Amino acid sequence: MMEKIVLKAQNEDELKNMINRSLTLKEDETYRVKVLKYPKKILFISIKGEYEIEIVKKSELKNNEVKVETEKSKAQNEYKIEKKERKETERKSGNTFQKSSSRKNYKNENLENEEKSVANHPDTNIDKIRAFFKEFIVNIKLDIRIVNIKKENNNKYLVILDGKDMRFLIGEKGNTLNSFEYLLSTTKQFKNLKITVDSNNYKEKREKSLRDLARKKGKAVLATGNAIKLNPMSARERKIIHEEVSFMKGLKTESVGEEPKRYLVIKKLDEKF
């Protein structure tokens, strides 16, 4: 049996580079690629595809070229048919965030909870937000569901999501989530609203992490006298850092740059930046 490996890549060029680094081929050998999962890129969310790489004899590949092309076309057609059937099912059911029959009961329960929450808040903005997120979830094809949408104060709304693919929407250190919230604030339909997104109390955990970071960096500035530049953060996260640093004598923070790459600098009170 010839060697098989599975690689993850975002595009064809990345896959080829990985194959060249991973495989050592003999003169009479080449490789064949089978797509296990197609890569996805929706807005700023990128999910790598999965590919099975099989080393084969060149003679074998030539004899099976027609078969391979047929299987490839069949897979693409099945993907298109599946996509079309899913959209048709969602249109008929009116429940666009149900993706799998194995999760029907669980999702129906969440839908009922969500509808009760909306019923308690006769607010057309909640309907607009809910419709936007349902369409977004369907388009990105991730296992994410709406748990609740509620108005906090004035024009501020909190959207609570859950699902095994939430890590893709949150991103490293919440960077993707911050970008998503900033994108929402720039859309015409939500220009007068402040929408925040949370999942499993991520924002609370992130706040604790930011306060720890502020204290650690603040102590470093006091010890060395050197200003420290932090990574770009959302306005909410900058506010948390600023507040925590304000509790430390002899320090101050300054915001630098433009959104969404605006960042904080922690420095001593008598230092110029």
Side-chain angles (χ1 to χ4, degrees):
M1 182 179 292
M2 303 301 288
E3 180 184 355
K4 289 184 181 181
I5 60 173
V6 175
L7 298 176
K8 294 184 178 181
Q10 188 58 53
N11 52 54
E12 186 177 343
D13 289 338
E14 182 181 354
L15 179 62
K16 286 181 178 178
N17 290 333
M18 294 178 70
I19 291 174
N20 290 335
R21 294 195 303 266
S22 303
L23 298 184
T24 302
L25 301 175
K26 297 178 181 179
E27 187 175 344
D28 62 338
E29 292 180 340
T30 184
Y31 62 86
R32 180 163 50 202
V33 179
K34 178 181 179 182
V35 180
L36 302 179
K37 290 183 181 179
Y38 287 94
K40 301 176 184 177
K41 189 169 185 180
I42 308 295
L43 297 177
F44 39 78
I45 300 175
S46 297
I47 302 175
K48 293 185 176 183
E50 290 188 14
Y51 306 87
E52 182 182 83
I53 315 301
E54 180 184 9
I55 297 177
V56 296
K57 299 290 185 181
K58 290 180 179 179
S59 57
E60 178 186 345
L61 186 62
K62 289 180 181 179
N63 294 333
N64 286 278
E65 278 181 351
V66 176
K67 180 181 178 182
V68 171
E69 286 300 319
T70 302
E71 290 179 349
K72 180 180 178 182
S73 299
K74 182 180 177 182
Q76 290 176 340
N77 289 333
E78 288 177 350
Y79 175 75
K80 291 179 181 178
I81 292 171
E82 179 187 351
K83 182 178 179 182
K84 182 177 179 181
E85 289 177 346
R86 182 168 63 249
K87 284 186 176 180
E88 182 65 19
T89 301
E90 289 165 352
R91 185 186 68 79
K92 289 180 180 180
S93 68
N95 184 12
T96 56
F97 64 92
Q98 280 192 342
K99 295 183 184 180
S100 169
S101 59
S102 63
R103 300 196 295 272
K104 280 183 179 179
N105 293 335
Y106 188 65
K107 287 182 178 290
N108 283 334
E109 181 181 346
N110 280 287
L111 178 60
E112 290 174 3
N113 291 337
E114 181 196 342
E115 289 177 343
K116 288 178 183 178
S117 173
V118 173
N120 293 331
H121 297 273
D123 189 331
T124 57
N125 285 329
I126 289 181
D127 293 332
K128 288 196 301 182
I129 295 170
R130 180 178 55 170
F132 172 87
F133 273 85
K134 283 186 175 182
E135 183 178 0
F136 174 74
I137 290 170
V138 169
N139 287 333
I140 61 175
K141 302 180 184 69
L142 295 180
D143 183 3
I144 296 175
R145 62 184 176 276
I146 302 170
V147 176
N148 197 4
I149 302 174
K150 59 184 179 181
K151 184 174 183 178
E152 295 192 306
N153 54 63
N154 297 327
N155 288 326
K156 185 176 181 181
Y157 294 82
L158 174 64
V159 179
I160 301 176
L161 305 175
D162 199 6
K164 68 179 184 180
D165 290 334
M166 270 304 299
R167 65 187 185 278
F168 296 117
L169 187 58
I170 292 174
E172 185 179 0
K173 297 181 180 179
N175 289 336
T176 304
L177 189 59
N178 289 339
S179 298
F180 181 51
E181 290 178 342
Y182 176 74
L183 182 66
L184 288 175
S185 70
T186 63
T187 59
K188 185 176 180 180
Q189 65 187 119
F190 299 136
K191 65 179 181 179
N192 296 320
L193 304 181
K194 173 65 176 178
I195 301 174
T196 58
V197 182
D198 200 3
S199 178
N200 294 319
N201 295 320
Y202 172 79
K203 290 289 179 71
E204 182 179 335
K205 298 170 186 174
R206 175 65 175 161
E207 178 175 341
K208 182 180 182 303
S209 176
L210 288 170
R211 292 189 181 279
D212 291 342
L213 175 68
R215 289 192 295 270
K216 178 181 177 181
K217 297 299 183 182
K219 289 178 181 178
V221 172
L222 289 174
T224 64
N226 298 324
I228 292 180
K229 171 186 171 182
L230 302 181
N231 291 328
M233 297 178 184
S234 65
R236 173 185 172 274
E237 293 189 339
R238 293 197 307 271
K239 182 179 179 182
I240 293 171
I241 296 287
H242 174 76
E243 182 181 81
E244 194 64 30
V245 171
S246 70
F247 298 142
M248 305 176 73
K249 291 182 179 181
L251 293 176
K252 64 178 180 179
T253 56
E254 286 189 7
S255 293
V256 181
E258 299 294 331
E259 299 288 2
K261 295 184 179 181
R262 196 165 173 80
Y263 61 90
L264 282 179
V265 176
I266 304 175
K267 57 185 180 178
K268 298 184 74 171
L269 282 172
D270 57 353
E271 182 183 348
K272 293 182 179 180
F273 181 75

